[in-house]
Amino acid sequence: MERRAVGRSGLRVSELGLGTMTWGRDTDEIDAAEQLRDFVDAGGSFVDTAATYGDGDAERLIGSLLAGKVRREELVLCTKGGVRGGPAGAQVDASRGGLLADLDSSLERLGTDHVDLYLVACPDPATPLEETVSALRQAVTSGRARYVGLANHPAWAAARAATLLQGAACDGVGLTGLELEYSLLQRGVERDVVPAASALGLGLLAWSPLGRGVLTGKYRRSLPADSRAASPHLAAFVDPYLDDVSSAVVEAVATAAEGLGRAPLEVALAWLLARDTLACAVVGARTPAQLRTSLAAVDLALPAEVHAALDDVSAPEVGYPERW
């Protein structure tokens, strides 16, 4: 599997990342161990998790696997903080105290003294960005994180955070990566985030590169009983892409896949892996079999005419001022 630099940093990651959102809940320890071993054997290194996945159980499961199934140095570990559960539901807290406390708890669950990449999970309107950035700097200078970045933030916030990190101290700490949803069904990042990442030298990490599972084609004819869309806790997550607009894109992907003799998800991943600034596409598989299908996509280079056709059918609306 190809290793790619994350922006202009020295951090290098596998072109496909292993997502763990279902670990500890829908994916048990046996299947998780098989996934991780298959992933590493295929040349994968980037493992993406978060403090909130399974209320911390995903990180605990990774920690248990690091204790015996795979060596820590084989992986590039990424986790996210700034959101925590509570009686009233998820609470956003990207304050200095919140982010550093989340990081310490994640390190304990993971059983390691550092993560390779620490991301702020989402914007926090109640905390000044200057304070959030100061926590990221402290995470690096204290040795708890090697690199830092943002997830699900708009382009202006990424630009501001990058500027703050560069200007506040000459300690070499900078913003490294941006993780956002990006797929043939969600190309909104191309309006502002992709140009900003390119200009600032930031690497783009894509979550849900298969359109929350819809680009696999599994929902073309029915709603499988064992699918995310039929799951009580994930149905609302998938539902936005079960509309007519998305269906047209899925059919185009399926047609291309049939012509190439490949699976639809391989075509969808190959399209994304060819995008500029992309460092890694994070695939989240519930079972080892699903992951192995995704791993097969790395050797597929789409013909130019197929890539152009998929560009056209999925093109996002671009308005003022980004069209300039």
Side-chain angles (χ1 to χ4, degrees):
M1 195 182 302
E2 179 185 346
R3 296 293 173 95
R4 300 182 176 187
V6 182
R8 288 197 288 265
S9 76
L11 179 63
R12 300 188 69 82
V13 298
S14 52
E15 59 186 317
L16 286 183
L18 180 61
T20 62
M21 186 178 70
T22 64
W23 286 23
R25 184 179 59 195
D26 301 318
T27 302
D28 62 23
E29 184 174 0
I30 295 174
D31 280 351
E34 186 174 347
Q35 281 191 37
L36 186 58
R37 193 68 264 167
D38 287 346
F39 179 67
V40 171
D41 287 346
S45 64
F46 186 76
V47 175
D48 181 79
T49 191
T52 54
Y53 291 174
D55 294 326
D57 285 343
E59 290 181 330
R60 293 186 188 93
L61 184 44
I62 294 169
S64 70
L65 296 176
L66 289 177
K69 300 294 184 181
V70 66
R71 292 179 294 116
R72 169 67 180 90
E73 55 268 29
E74 292 185 87
L75 304 181
V76 177
L77 278 180
C78 171
T79 195
K80 296 175 282 291
V83 178
R84 58 172 55 90
Q91 301 293 316
V92 177
D93 181 6
S95 67
R96 184 183 298 106
L99 283 173
L100 294 176
D102 284 351
L103 178 54
D104 287 339
S105 296
S106 289
L107 293 176
E108 183 178 356
R109 288 189 291 266
L110 290 165
T112 184
D113 63 356
H114 74 280
V115 292
D116 299 288
L117 180 62
Y118 187 50
L119 304 176
V120 182
C122 62
D124 177 6
T127 300
L129 194 56
E130 290 83 352
E131 181 177 338
T132 295
V133 166
S134 73
L136 294 181
R137 169 172 277 105
Q138 189 170 344
V140 175
T141 57
S142 66
R144 287 177 276 183
R146 298 294 188 255
Y147 297 88
V148 290
L150 304 174
N152 305 305
H153 281 67
W156 73 262
R160 178 63 175 150
T163 301
L164 289 168
L165 276 172
Q166 289 173 353
C170 297
D171 51 17
V173 179
L175 202 69
T176 296
L178 305 174
E179 184 172 313
L180 294 101
E181 183 175 8
Y182 192 10
S183 73
L184 277 162
L185 298 184
Q186 178 51 271
R187 294 177 60 185
V189 296
E190 294 178 8
R191 298 187 183 100
D192 281 326
V193 174
V194 168
S198 179
L200 295 166
L202 307 178
L204 189 62
L205 310 162
W207 63 263
S208 207
L210 294 174
R212 309 186 184 189
V214 176
L215 287 167
T216 63
K218 69 173 68 176
Y219 303 112
R220 292 173 68 203
R221 304 287 182 262
S222 63
L223 191 69
D226 63 346
S227 67
R228 290 180 178 180
S231 164
H233 53 271
L234 289 174
F237 178 68
V238 179
D239 188 64
Y241 295 150
L242 299 180
D243 60 0
D244 291 340
V245 174
S246 298
S247 179
V249 178
V250 172
E251 290 305 315
V253 170
T255 299
E258 184 176 356
L260 295 170
R262 304 295 288 255
L265 69 79
E266 294 178 79
V267 171
L269 285 175
W271 175 88
L272 184 60
L273 290 173
R275 307 307 283 182
D276 291 340
T277 76
L278 188 81
C280 179
V282 180
V283 292
R286 182 173 52 84
T287 68
Q290 290 175 349
L291 176 63
R292 284 191 286 269
T293 306
S294 295
L295 294 175
V298 297
D299 69 348
L300 175 60
L302 296 180
E305 60 272 19
V306 172
H307 197 101
L310 294 176
D311 275 351
D312 288 343
V313 75
S314 64
E317 291 186 15
V318 178
Y320 176 85
E322 61 267 17
R323 67 169 177 261
W324 283 37

